[in-house]
Amino acid sequence: MMVMRAITFTKQGEIDVLEYQEVTEPTLGPDEILVKVKACSVNYLDIHARRDRPEIKQKLQETDTPHILGSDIAGEIAEISGTHPELVIGDRVLLAPCIPCGVCSDCVNGYENLCDTQQLLGFQTDGGYAEFVKAPAKNAIRIAETLSFVEASALPIAYLTAWHMLVTRAQLRAGEDVLILGAGGSVGSAGLQIAKLVGARIFATASTDEKLARAKHFGADVTINYTDIDFSEVVLAETNGRGVDVVLEHVGAATWEQSISSLAKNGRLVSCGVTTGNIGQINIRKMYQKQLTIMGSALGTPTELRTLVRLAEQRQLIPIIDRTLPLAQAAEAHQLLESRKNFGKVCLLP
C-alpha cells in the first residue's frame, strides 16, 4: 500500500484542524486517472468547507476518514484506469473541478454546471491538497508547455466562475461599463482580467490603496476604496448619473443595495456568492422602472473551461498569482485568504 503526504482534517473548525500527514495513496476505480499534483490553488470555498459546510460534515461522518481539500488542480498523469487513447501517462493536465452525472437533461444539453447531482473535487471527494489525487478520466484537460502548472491551477474555480458570470450570463460587451467588487480576491481579480479582455471600462472596488493600485495595474479604469465611501456614489458620479451596465457581485448582503444602485437602465447584476449574508433587499419599483436584470451564476461548463485554457496558453489571459507556498503551509494560505491579504490566487506546491 502506497502512502503520500497530504493536508487533512477529521473535524470541521478553525485553521488548527488542518494536519500535514501521511495518508494512503488513492486507488483508482473504473475510468479514473491518478494525477501527480504539481500545483493546487486555494479558494475561499476551501475555507467554508473546513469551517462548516454540511456536505463536508456528512462526508466525514459517512466515511470516517480524513478529508482532503482542493478543487483547483494541475499536474501530470501517473496512472490510467480503463481505455482512454486520448490520454497517456506523463500528460500535463488540468482537472475540471465538477463531476456531473452526465445523463440528466442539463448534462446532455451542455449545462453541466446545473446538474443537480454533480460533485466537486475536494468537496464531495478528496482533492488536491496532496501529492496525488484521483479523478474521472473525462475531467482531464491537456495543457500546453506555455501554461505553467501554477497558472493552470488558477483557472478552474475563480476564472471559470468569472467567465461564466461576465461572458455567458451577463454577456458583457466591448465599450460597456462594468463594476467588479472585491477586485483583489480570486473571482474579482479574474473578472478584472476578463472584462479587460472583452474591452469594457472597469470600475473596481477593494479595501486597501495597495490593492487598488494593483487593480489599476491590471486594467481597472476607476478604483474605489469601499471602506471609505458608498461605492455607488462614486460610480454614479463617474458616469454622470447613468450607472454601469454590469455589476459582478459576489459579496452578498453587505453590498447588495449599493450594487443595485450602481446599475444603469437595462443594467445586469450577476451574483455568484454571499460571503456577507444570503438576504439582500431590493426596491421592486426601481427595478422594473429601470428594467434591471438580476441573475445568478454558478461555476461554468467544461467547454468554457477549455476556452479559458486556450486563452491562457495563447497568453491572452495570464492568471494573477499572489504567491506560491509549500503544501505543508496550507494553514498560512488559509490565513491569507481569511484576512484578505492576497491579490489574486494563492497556490500550494506539493
PDB file of all heavy atoms in Angstrom, residues 212-226:
ATOM      1  N   LEU A 212      -5.922  48.576  -4.708  1.00  0.00           N
ATOM      2  CA  LEU A 212      -6.451  49.410  -5.780  1.00  0.00           C
ATOM      3  C   LEU A 212      -5.364  49.750  -6.799  1.00  0.00           C
ATOM      4  O   LEU A 212      -5.626  49.788  -8.007  1.00  0.00           O
ATOM      5  CB  LEU A 212      -7.056  50.687  -5.200  1.00  0.00           C
ATOM      6  CG  LEU A 212      -8.325  50.478  -4.360  1.00  0.00           C
ATOM      7  CD1 LEU A 212      -8.749  51.791  -3.717  1.00  0.00           C
ATOM      8  CD2 LEU A 212      -9.454  49.906  -5.214  1.00  0.00           C
ATOM      9  N   ALA A 213      -4.141  49.960  -6.319  1.00  0.00           N
ATOM     10  CA  ALA A 213      -3.025  50.234  -7.233  1.00  0.00           C
ATOM     11  C   ALA A 213      -2.760  49.026  -8.124  1.00  0.00           C
ATOM     12  O   ALA A 213      -2.494  49.170  -9.330  1.00  0.00           O
ATOM     13  CB  ALA A 213      -1.773  50.598  -6.440  1.00  0.00           C
ATOM     14  N   ARG A 214      -2.848  47.841  -7.547  1.00  0.00           N
ATOM     15  CA  ARG A 214      -2.649  46.630  -8.349  1.00  0.00           C
ATOM     16  C   ARG A 214      -3.793  46.436  -9.332  1.00  0.00           C
ATOM     17  O   ARG A 214      -3.582  46.005 -10.473  1.00  0.00           O
ATOM     18  CB  ARG A 214      -2.511  45.412  -7.439  1.00  0.00           C
ATOM     19  CG  ARG A 214      -1.270  45.438  -6.557  1.00  0.00           C
ATOM     20  CD  ARG A 214      -0.906  44.058  -6.061  1.00  0.00           C
ATOM     21  NE  ARG A 214      -0.444  43.209  -7.155  1.00  0.00           N
ATOM     22  CZ  ARG A 214      -0.182  41.912  -7.027  1.00  0.00           C
ATOM     23  NH1 ARG A 214      -0.337  41.321  -5.853  1.00  0.00           N
ATOM     24  NH2 ARG A 214       0.235  41.198  -8.053  1.00  0.00           N
ATOM     25  N   ALA A 215      -5.018  46.755  -8.898  1.00  0.00           N
ATOM     26  CA  ALA A 215      -6.161  46.661  -9.805  1.00  0.00           C
ATOM     27  C   ALA A 215      -5.974  47.601 -10.995  1.00  0.00           C
ATOM     28  O   ALA A 215      -6.274  47.248 -12.144  1.00  0.00           O
ATOM     29  CB  ALA A 215      -7.451  46.991  -9.064  1.00  0.00           C
ATOM     30  N   LYS A 216      -5.442  48.786 -10.723  1.00  0.00           N
ATOM     31  CA  LYS A 216      -5.161  49.751 -11.786  1.00  0.00           C
ATOM     32  C   LYS A 216      -4.121  49.171 -12.748  1.00  0.00           C
ATOM     33  O   LYS A 216      -4.246  49.284 -13.975  1.00  0.00           O
ATOM     34  CB  LYS A 216      -4.633  51.040 -11.155  1.00  0.00           C
ATOM     35  CG  LYS A 216      -4.726  52.270 -12.050  1.00  0.00           C
ATOM     36  CD  LYS A 216      -6.089  52.929 -11.903  1.00  0.00           C
ATOM     37  CE  LYS A 216      -6.113  54.277 -12.574  1.00  0.00           C
ATOM     38  NZ  LYS A 216      -7.431  54.920 -12.473  1.00  0.00           N
ATOM     39  N   HIS A 217      -3.106  48.524 -12.179  1.00  0.00           N
ATOM     40  CA  HIS A 217      -2.051  47.919 -12.995  1.00  0.00           C
ATOM     41  C   HIS A 217      -2.623  46.847 -13.922  1.00  0.00           C
ATOM     42  O   HIS A 217      -2.169  46.708 -15.074  1.00  0.00           O
ATOM     43  CB  HIS A 217      -0.984  47.308 -12.090  1.00  0.00           C
ATOM     44  CG  HIS A 217       0.030  46.478 -12.809  1.00  0.00           C
ATOM     45  ND1 HIS A 217       1.053  47.028 -13.565  1.00  0.00           N
ATOM     46  CD2 HIS A 217       0.174  45.113 -12.923  1.00  0.00           C
ATOM     47  CE1 HIS A 217       1.775  46.058 -14.100  1.00  0.00           C
ATOM     48  NE2 HIS A 217       1.276  44.894 -13.721  1.00  0.00           N
ATOM     49  N   PHE A 218      -3.617  46.106 -13.451  1.00  0.00           N
ATOM     50  CA  PHE A 218      -4.181  45.023 -14.253  1.00  0.00           C
ATOM     51  C   PHE A 218      -5.369  45.463 -15.107  1.00  0.00           C
ATOM     52  O   PHE A 218      -6.040  44.624 -15.697  1.00  0.00           O
ATOM     53  CB  PHE A 218      -4.587  43.859 -13.351  1.00  0.00           C
ATOM     54  CG  PHE A 218      -3.408  43.072 -12.841  1.00  0.00           C
ATOM     55  CD1 PHE A 218      -3.055  43.114 -11.496  1.00  0.00           C
ATOM     56  CD2 PHE A 218      -2.649  42.290 -13.699  1.00  0.00           C
ATOM     57  CE1 PHE A 218      -1.970  42.393 -11.017  1.00  0.00           C
ATOM     58  CE2 PHE A 218      -1.559  41.570 -13.232  1.00  0.00           C
ATOM     59  CZ  PHE A 218      -1.220  41.626 -11.884  1.00  0.00           C
ATOM     60  N   GLY A 219      -5.627  46.769 -15.182  1.00  0.00           N
ATOM     61  CA  GLY A 219      -6.598  47.231 -16.162  1.00  0.00           C
ATOM     62  C   GLY A 219      -7.783  48.010 -15.658  1.00  0.00           C
ATOM     63  O   GLY A 219      -8.606  48.459 -16.470  1.00  0.00           O
ATOM     64  N   ALA A 220      -7.936  48.199 -14.346  1.00  0.00           N
ATOM     65  CA  ALA A 220      -9.068  48.971 -13.850  1.00  0.00           C
ATOM     66  C   ALA A 220      -8.942  50.429 -14.280  1.00  0.00           C
ATOM     67  O   ALA A 220      -7.864  51.016 -14.218  1.00  0.00           O
ATOM     68  CB  ALA A 220      -9.154  48.870 -12.334  1.00  0.00           C
ATOM     69  N   ASP A 221     -10.046  51.026 -14.710  1.00  0.00           N
ATOM     70  CA  ASP A 221     -10.048  52.417 -15.138  1.00  0.00           C
ATOM     71  C   ASP A 221     -10.389  53.356 -13.985  1.00  0.00           C
ATOM     72  O   ASP A 221      -9.856  54.458 -13.899  1.00  0.00           O
ATOM     73  CB  ASP A 221     -11.056  52.605 -16.277  1.00  0.00           C
ATOM     74  CG  ASP A 221     -10.695  51.783 -17.499  1.00  0.00           C
ATOM     75  OD1 ASP A 221      -9.750  52.159 -18.204  1.00  0.00           O
ATOM     76  OD2 ASP A 221     -11.343  50.742 -17.732  1.00  0.00           O
ATOM     77  N   VAL A 222     -11.302  52.929 -13.115  1.00  0.00           N
ATOM     78  CA  VAL A 222     -11.704  53.709 -11.944  1.00  0.00           C
ATOM     79  C   VAL A 222     -11.629  52.794 -10.733  1.00  0.00           C
ATOM     80  O   VAL A 222     -12.179  51.684 -10.759  1.00  0.00           O
ATOM     81  CB  VAL A 222     -13.132  54.268 -12.093  1.00  0.00           C
ATOM     82  CG1 VAL A 222     -13.527  55.053 -10.843  1.00  0.00           C
ATOM     83  CG2 VAL A 222     -13.251  55.127 -13.340  1.00  0.00           C
ATOM     84  N   THR A 223     -10.943  53.220  -9.676  1.00  0.00           N
ATOM     85  CA  THR A 223     -10.814  52.385  -8.485  1.00  0.00           C
ATOM     86  C   THR A 223     -11.467  53.065  -7.289  1.00  0.00           C
ATOM     87  O   THR A 223     -11.428  54.299  -7.166  1.00  0.00           O
ATOM     88  CB  THR A 223      -9.340  52.081  -8.158  1.00  0.00           C
ATOM     89  OG1 THR A 223      -8.623  53.310  -7.994  1.00  0.00           O
ATOM     90  CG2 THR A 223      -8.703  51.262  -9.275  1.00  0.00           C
ATOM     91  N   ILE A 224     -12.064  52.258  -6.396  1.00  0.00           N
ATOM     92  CA  ILE A 224     -12.831  52.783  -5.265  1.00  0.00           C
ATOM     93  C   ILE A 224     -12.486  51.977  -4.017  1.00  0.00           C
ATOM     94  O   ILE A 224     -12.605  50.743  -4.021  1.00  0.00           O
ATOM     95  CB  ILE A 224     -14.351  52.676  -5.523  1.00  0.00           C
ATOM     96  CG1 ILE A 224     -14.730  53.280  -6.880  1.00  0.00           C
ATOM     97  CG2 ILE A 224     -15.135  53.325  -4.392  1.00  0.00           C
ATOM     98  CD1 ILE A 224     -16.123  52.890  -7.362  1.00  0.00           C
ATOM     99  N   ASN A 225     -12.069  52.682  -2.963  1.00  0.00           N
ATOM    100  CA  ASN A 225     -11.851  52.041  -1.678  1.00  0.00           C
ATOM    101  C   ASN A 225     -13.202  51.973  -0.963  1.00  0.00           C
ATOM    102  O   ASN A 225     -13.706  52.992  -0.483  1.00  0.00           O
ATOM    103  CB  ASN A 225     -10.842  52.825  -0.851  1.00  0.00           C
ATOM    104  CG  ASN A 225     -10.434  52.091   0.415  1.00  0.00           C
ATOM    105  OD1 ASN A 225     -11.238  51.424   1.053  1.00  0.00           O
ATOM    106  ND2 ASN A 225      -9.160  52.205   0.785  1.00  0.00           N
ATOM    107  N   TYR A 226     -13.778  50.776  -0.887  1.00  0.00           N
ATOM    108  CA  TYR A 226     -15.140  50.654  -0.362  1.00  0.00           C
ATOM    109  C   TYR A 226     -15.224  50.854   1.149  1.00  0.00           C
ATOM    110  O   TYR A 226     -16.333  50.964   1.703  1.00  0.00           O
ATOM    111  CB  TYR A 226     -15.756  49.310  -0.755  1.00  0.00           C
ATOM    112  CG  TYR A 226     -15.100  48.077  -0.175  1.00  0.00           C
ATOM    113  CD1 TYR A 226     -15.301  47.702   1.145  1.00  0.00           C
ATOM    114  CD2 TYR A 226     -14.296  47.261  -0.972  1.00  0.00           C
ATOM    115  CE1 TYR A 226     -14.714  46.560   1.667  1.00  0.00           C
ATOM    116  CE2 TYR A 226     -13.698  46.117  -0.454  1.00  0.00           C
ATOM    117  CZ  TYR A 226     -13.914  45.776   0.860  1.00  0.00           C
ATOM    118  OH  TYR A 226     -13.327  44.642   1.373  1.00  0.00           O
TER     119      TYR A 226
END
